[in-house]
Amino acid sequence: MVALTFPDGARREYASGSTGFDIAKGISPSLAKRTAAMALDSEIRDLSDPIERDAKSNSLPATTRARWS
């Protein structure tokens, strides 16, 4: 299990290896559709990357202008 802490302070546990897409879809199908990437401890990650450790998490909507370098 991995624990994710969300921006609102909520902490939830998920199976190790869950992806950002799995988590977003579990929260809300519309969130999964709107989300382009995720941030784990401020590191931008692809939604298909497995999550293997506890982290602070944030979804990045498709409309977010993020610095990717």
Side-chain angles (χ1 to χ4, degrees):
M1 298 295 283
V2 294
L4 295 182
T5 304
F6 295 94
D8 66 357
R11 183 177 168 97
R12 296 184 183 154
E13 290 192 353
Y14 298 93
S16 182
S18 295
T19 65
F21 182 78
D22 296 332
I23 292 164
K25 188 175 177 185
I27 293 169
S28 165
S30 65
L31 177 63
K33 289 179 184 178
R34 294 189 316 261
T35 303
M38 66 179 169
L40 292 178
D41 292 334
S42 300
E43 177 184 327
I44 297 174
R45 305 277 302 271
D46 189 90
L47 290 179
S48 64
D49 291 347
I51 300 169
E52 303 290 344
R53 60 181 169 76
D54 295 353
K56 290 182 181 177
S57 177
N58 196 4
S59 63
L60 302 174
T63 58
T64 298
R65 291 184 181 190
R67 188 172 150 186
W68 295 86
S69 56

